[in-house]
C-alpha cells in the first residue's frame, strides 16, 4: 500500500542552523501539507501546497520557513535559522483530491534544536 | 473557545467493551470530520472520516456526526489492548481550504 515517507527520522541541530526536512508524498496525490506537534501538545497546521504554490500558511509559518517541491516526488520544509522552540515532530501529509478528503501522514521527523 | 475540543482522558475501558470517544467543534460550517489514532511517538493514522449527519461504520469502528449539536463521536466495539492509543479528532472547515484542525486528543487505555 502506498505511503508517505519522510527523512530523516531524527534531526539534531544547533540553534541558528538551517535544516531541511524531506517528504515523498503518495505518488498520485495533489495536495501536500506540513504539520508539527510539540511534545505533549496537539498537532498544528503549518502550510498547505498545491499546484506548486502555497495555498495557505499558519501564523507559525513565518519568514524562517519555506517549502519547495523541487521535482515530481519530493516535498521539502526548510527552516532557515532554527530556534529552540522549533523542536517538535514534523509531519508531512498528502491528499489525493480536495473536497475534504482524507489526508495521509508520514512517519514524521523529530527535530531537536540544541 | 477551542476550535476542536476533546476530553484528554485518560479513558480506561475493559477489554471487549465499547469505548466511546467524543469531540465537539466550534465552527458550525465545518465540512468534514476525521478520527486519527496516534501511538506514542508515532504519526497520526487515519481511522475514519465522516461528512454527513448520522452513523458510519467500518469494522469495529463507528463514527457518529450531529451537525446541529456540533458533535462527533467514535465508538470502538470489542475493544482490544492494541486499541490503547491517543485518539485525535480533526475537522476541515471548508472545502478548498483543506487544513486539518486537531483537538488535543483523548488517551484511551484498554484494560486486559
Amino acid at each position: 500500500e502506498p505511503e508517505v515517507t519522510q527523512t530523516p527520522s531524527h534531526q539534531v541541530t544547533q540553534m541558528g542552523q538551517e535544516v531541511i526536512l524531506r517528504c515523498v508524498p503518495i505518488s498520485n496525490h495533489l495536495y501536500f501539507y506540513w504539520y508539527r506537534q510539540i511534545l505533549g501538545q496537539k498537532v498544528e497546521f503549518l502550510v498547505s501546497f498545491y499546484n506548486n504554490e502555497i495555498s495557505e500558511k499558519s501564523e507559525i509559518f513565518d519568514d524562517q520557513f519555506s517549502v519547495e517541491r523541487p521535482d515530481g516526488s519530493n516535498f521539502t520544509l526548510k527552516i532557515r535559522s532554527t530556534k529552540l522552540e522549533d523542536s517538535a515532530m514534523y509531519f508531512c501529509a498528502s491528499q489525493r483530491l480536495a473536497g475534504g478528503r482524507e489526508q495521509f501522514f508520514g512517519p514524521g521527523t523529530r527535530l531537536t534544536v540544541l | 473557545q477551542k476550535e476542536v475540543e476533546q476530553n484528554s482522558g485518560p479513558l480506561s475501558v475493559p477489554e471487549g467493551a465499547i469505548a466511546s470517544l467524543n469531540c465537539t467543534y466550534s465552527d458550525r460550517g465545518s465540512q468534514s470530520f476525521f478520527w486519527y489514532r496516534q501511538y506514542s511517538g508515532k504519526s497520526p493514522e487515519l481511522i475514519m472520516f465522516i461528512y454527513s449527519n448520522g452513523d458510519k461504520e467500518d469494522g469495529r469502528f463507528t463514527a457518529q456526526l450531529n451537525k446541529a449539536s456540533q458533535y462527533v463521536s467514535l465508538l470502538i466495539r470489542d475493544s482490544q489492548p492494541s486499541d490503547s492509543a491517543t485518539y485525535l479528532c480533526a475537522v476541515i472547515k471548508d472545502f478548498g481550504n483543506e487544513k486539518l484542525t486537531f483537538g488535543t486528543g483523548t488517551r484511551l487505555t484498554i484494560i486486559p
Side-chain angles (χ1 to χ4, degrees):
Chain A
E1 188 174 318
E3 57 185 23
V4 178
T5 60
Q6 290 185 244
T7 54
S9 56
H10 190 189
Q11 173 93 49
V12 181
T13 190
Q14 295 290 326
M15 190 169 54
Q17 295 297 303
E18 175 184 287
V19 294
I20 297 176
L21 310 183
R22 292 185 166 79
C23 168
V24 179
I26 296 172
S27 63
N28 63 348
H29 285 197
L30 301 176
Y31 299 83
F32 313 113
Y33 304 84
W34 284 101
Y35 295 86
R36 80 168 186 193
Q37 186 176 31
I38 295 171
L39 186 64
Q41 297 186 24
K42 66 179 181 179
V43 178
E44 299 175 289
F45 167 77
L46 291 178
V47 65
S48 57
F49 193 86
Y50 169 69
N51 201 24
N52 281 321
E53 59 184 30
I54 290 174
S55 309
E56 188 183 357
K57 55 186 181 181
S58 72
E59 290 175 358
I60 303 167
F61 194 89
D62 62 21
D63 291 346
Q64 294 303 310
F65 290 85
S66 62
V67 289
E68 204 175 37
R69 189 157 159 84
D71 52 43
S73 58
N74 289 285
F75 179 49
T76 62
L77 174 69
K78 182 194 290 187
I79 309 175
R80 259 180 278 280
S81 178
T82 50
K83 306 184 189 75
L84 296 175
E85 54 264 37
D86 293 329
S87 295
M89 281 289 283
Y90 288 80
F91 297 113
C92 173
S94 72
Q95 180 183 23
R96 190 169 67 91
L97 297 171
R101 301 298 180 95
E102 57 269 50
Q103 294 178 22
F104 296 95
F105 281 69
T109 293
R110 179 175 298 281
L111 177 65
T112 302
V113 182
L114 302 176
Chain B
Q1 185 184 11
K2 292 180 184 175
E3 292 181 282
V4 179
E5 278 202 73
Q6 297 180 256
N7 188 325
S8 62
L11 175 65
S12 296
V13 172
E15 183 175 355
I18 295 175
S20 177
L21 302 157
N22 304 315
C23 172
T24 58
Y25 57 95
S26 61
D27 188 335
R28 184 170 286 279
S30 295
Q31 297 288 340
S32 53
F33 308 86
F34 300 80
W35 283 101
Y36 285 84
R37 177 173 62 197
Q38 187 176 33
Y39 294 112
S40 182
K42 302 295 186 183
S43 64
E45 174 192 4
L46 182 66
I47 300 173
M48 293 189 69
F49 64 98
I50 187 167
Y51 301 135
S52 305
N53 276 327
D55 295 1
K56 180 181 178 183
E57 189 174 314
D58 184 0
R60 296 188 296 114
F61 299 96
T62 299
Q64 299 175 316
L65 175 61
N66 183 326
K67 288 189 175 181
S69 301
Q70 296 174 235
Y71 175 90
V72 58
S73 65
L74 180 70
L75 300 178
I76 307 174
R77 286 181 299 282
D78 188 24
S79 297
Q80 302 296 311
S82 59
D83 294 327
S84 297
T86 297
Y87 288 79
L88 309 178
C89 174
V91 306
I92 288 178
K93 291 183 183 178
D94 59 86
F95 297 160
N97 176 7
E98 309 267 331
K99 66 178 183 185
L100 287 165
T101 301
F102 282 86
T104 52
T106 298
R107 192 165 134 229
L108 175 66
T109 300
I110 306 301
I111 304 166

